[in-house]
């Protein structure tokens, strides 16, 4: 019975990872087309961040899901079990992972700074600033990933194939102290710190929106939104909470299982491929969740826009009618108004609003 369960789990992974590639890569590329070439009501900075996120997530799917995991389950001897591909693949994988995580973090921080200050918005709303930021994130991520090329080493391993003993080169984890230290650092940089920052700044955004809603009277909110501000506020906070919770739930198990594997089972005699050991099953399930996060986080950020969904329907139904940008912005869920000018009346408890500036 136990052997059958192990076989089923292996089969599930053999189907799961190719399915992620088949669904994730086209989804990222299609959404990239949507936000770049269709009017989805997104700001220029959001378009740059989300486009960059789609690109690095696509490369993550290629390096990790397709070339590494899919080939591992479907081929006896993938090409990267040789020098120098063993080290190069590790460098590319961590570079894409860092890039994806920190683009999400920086985009979240940028959204908070834009809500906090009009002057900050004027600086960060320039597309060239956002493009340089994304380029810097990707470059720094890959520079930091250079040491990861040496955490694995190609070693000969004996196998039994059709009753015959054969020796094949395998790309294996290098059992050295510096390898373990590097992977611990990578785990914190790609999982722990991004999780903490995303939760903190999404919480600050929600708090800021709650306070901002109290600046306007009921009549002013009706003019600005044409609908209940409280309802819009609840949806915005719900969306931000969904993004944070999804990011945590799909990423945190990887950190927990890795911590257990590298503390309780960190020895050469431990067989990581033995699925009769519960921690190996838990570790692979955590990997599956983390890889799912890298496949879907781009859509999570894009699908918060009602205009994106409407434009998606138009594309699917071959309706090429373009939507007016003003109408698009009117119904954007993440729309926020900033007070450009205001004056204080004789009553210190009353603020008179002179000019409202629409912010996305």
């Amino acid at each position: 019975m136990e052997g059958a369960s192990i076989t089923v789990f292996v089969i599930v992974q053999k189907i799961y990872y190719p399915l992620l590639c088949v669904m994730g890569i086209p989804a990222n590329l299609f959404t990239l087309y949507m936000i770049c070439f269709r009017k989805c009501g997104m700001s220029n900075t959001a378009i740059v961040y989300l486009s960059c996120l789609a690109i690095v997530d696509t490369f993550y799917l290629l390096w990790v899901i397709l070339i590494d995991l899919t080939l591992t389950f479907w081929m006896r001897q993938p090409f990267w079990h040789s020098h120098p591909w063993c080290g190069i693949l590790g460098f590319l994988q961590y570079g894409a992972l860092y890039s994806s995580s920190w683009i999400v973090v920086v985009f979240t921080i940028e959204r908070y700074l834009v809500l906090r200050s009009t002057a900050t918005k004027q600086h960060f709303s320039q597309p060239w600033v956002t493009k340089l930021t994304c380029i810097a994130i990707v470059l720094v991520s890959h520079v930091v990933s250079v040491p990861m090329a040496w955490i694995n080493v190609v070693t000969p391993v004996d196998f039994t194939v059709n009753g015959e003993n054969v020796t094949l080169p395998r790309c294996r984890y290098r059992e050295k102290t510096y390898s373990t230290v590097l992977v611990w650092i990578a785990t914190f940089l790609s999982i722990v710190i991004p999780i903490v920052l995303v939760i903190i700044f999404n919480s600050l955004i929600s708090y800021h929106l709650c306070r901002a809603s109290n600046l306007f009277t009921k009549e002013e909110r009706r003019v600005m939104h044409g609908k209940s501000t409280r309802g819009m506020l609840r949806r915005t906070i719900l969306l931000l909470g969904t993004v944070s919770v999804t990011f945590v739930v799909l990423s945190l198990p990887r950190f927990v299982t890795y911590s257990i594997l590298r503390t309780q089972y960190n020895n050469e005699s431990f067989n990581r491929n033995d699925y009769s050991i519960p921690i190996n099953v838990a570790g692979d399930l955590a990997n599956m969740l983390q890889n799912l996060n890298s496949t879907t986080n781009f859509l999570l950020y894009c699908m918060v826009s009602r205009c994106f969904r409407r434009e998606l329907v138009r594309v699917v139904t071959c309706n090429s009618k373009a939507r007016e940008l003003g109408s698009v912005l009117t119904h954007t869920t993440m729309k926020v108004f900033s007070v450009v000018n205001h004056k204080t009346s004789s009553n210190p408890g009353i603020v008179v609003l002179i000019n409202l500036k629409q912010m996305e």
Side-chain angles (χ1 to χ4, degrees):
M1 184 68 179
E2 183 178 350
S5 300
I6 295 173
T7 303
V8 170
F9 185 63
V10 172
I11 293 175
V12 168
Q13 293 185 81
K14 292 179 69 174
I15 297 174
Y16 177 77
Y17 289 118
L19 188 61
L20 278 186
C21 292
V22 171
M23 296 182 62
I25 294 177
N28 274 336
L29 296 178
F30 178 72
T31 314
L32 178 64
Y33 159 77
M34 287 288 298
I35 64 175
C36 290
F37 300 101
R38 308 289 297 194
K39 292 182 178 181
C40 296
M42 297 182 182
S43 65
N44 292 330
T45 56
I47 289 175
V48 174
Y49 278 118
L50 295 176
S51 299
C52 188
L53 183 60
I55 294 171
V56 296
D57 276 349
T58 300
F59 279 109
Y60 181 88
L61 288 169
L62 289 174
W63 306 141
V64 178
I65 309 300
L66 179 60
I67 295 179
D68 188 350
L69 295 172
T70 301
L71 294 186
T72 295
F73 283 100
W74 285 93
M75 295 180 63
R76 179 178 301 167
Q77 187 68 13
F79 72 93
W80 49 266
H81 282 300
S82 60
H83 186 78
W85 295 109
C86 178
I88 292 176
L89 188 60
F91 159 73
L92 294 174
Q93 288 176 345
Y94 278 95
L97 179 60
Y98 287 151
S99 299
S100 178
S101 298
W102 283 97
I103 287 173
V104 172
V105 171
V106 173
F107 181 47
T108 304
I109 295 175
E110 186 262 356
R111 290 290 90 183
Y112 170 72
L113 295 177
V114 165
L115 293 179
R116 287 279 297 175
S117 170
T118 303
T120 304
K121 173 181 171 57
Q122 293 174 351
H123 176 72
F124 285 102
S125 62
Q126 303 179 44
W128 69 268
V129 174
T130 307
K131 292 176 183 178
L132 288 180
T133 301
C134 290
I135 292 173
I137 292 173
V138 174
L139 290 179
V140 172
S141 297
H142 283 80
V143 169
V144 174
S145 301
V146 170
M148 308 307 291
W150 285 274
I151 65 172
N152 296 318
V153 61
V154 178
T155 58
V157 178
D158 295 329
F159 293 93
T160 301
V161 180
N162 297 327
E164 297 182 359
N165 293 327
V166 296
T167 301
L168 298 172
R170 307 295 288 181
C171 183
R172 305 289 290 271
Y173 180 76
R174 193 190 299 265
E175 298 293 343
K176 298 292 183 180
T177 302
Y178 74 87
S179 296
T180 302
V181 171
L182 285 176
V183 177
W184 271 111
I185 294 174
T187 302
F188 273 89
L189 289 178
S190 62
I191 299 177
V192 179
I193 298 177
I195 283 177
V196 172
L197 291 177
V198 166
I199 292 176
I200 290 175
F201 281 96
N202 272 333
S203 300
L204 290 174
I205 291 173
S206 299
Y207 174 73
H208 184 75
L209 291 176
C210 288
R211 292 192 60 189
S213 68
N214 296 326
L215 286 174
F216 309 106
T217 66
K218 182 178 180 180
E219 291 74 16
E220 289 166 340
R221 288 196 291 263
R222 185 181 298 113
V223 171
M224 289 185 297
H225 302 293
K227 58 179 70 176
S228 172
T229 301
R230 291 187 179 274
M232 179 174 290
L233 182 61
R234 285 196 299 268
R235 289 195 299 273
T236 301
I237 294 177
L238 178 61
L239 290 168
L240 292 173
T242 301
V243 170
S244 298
V245 171
T246 301
F247 190 61
V248 172
V249 169
L250 296 181
S251 299
L252 190 58
R254 175 69 180 87
F255 172 72
V256 174
T257 56
Y258 178 80
S259 300
I260 296 174
L261 285 168
R262 288 304 167 195
T263 54
Q264 302 297 321
Y265 301 94
N266 192 24
N267 56 78
E268 296 184 6
S269 61
F270 179 71
N271 184 7
R272 182 65 177 84
N273 296 320
D274 185 1
Y275 289 119
S276 63
I277 304 176
I279 188 59
N280 284 338
V281 177
D284 279 10
L285 286 175
N287 286 335
M288 294 168 71
L289 287 176
Q290 185 186 22
N291 292 325
L292 179 62
N293 175 66
S294 299
T295 303
T296 60
N297 58 16
F298 177 60
L299 291 178
L300 279 177
Y301 277 85
C302 281
M303 295 305 289
V304 299
S305 171
R306 182 180 302 175
C307 303
F308 180 91
R309 296 192 293 271
R310 290 174 179 171
E311 194 66 21
L312 178 62
V313 172
R314 289 189 175 91
V315 172
V316 173
T317 58
C318 299
N319 186 349
S320 59
K321 181 180 179 181
R323 188 177 182 84
E324 292 296 329
L325 185 58
S327 178
V328 168
L329 292 176
T330 301
H331 298 283
T332 301
T333 303
M334 293 297 293
K335 179 182 58 179
V336 178
F337 287 80
S338 66
V339 180
V340 178
N341 297 314
H342 70 279
K343 65 180 181 180
T344 305
S345 67
S346 58
N347 186 343
I350 299 176
V351 176
V352 180
L353 303 178
I354 304 300
N355 186 16
L356 296 179
K357 182 178 181 180
Q358 184 172 296
M359 298 174 61
E360 182 181 346

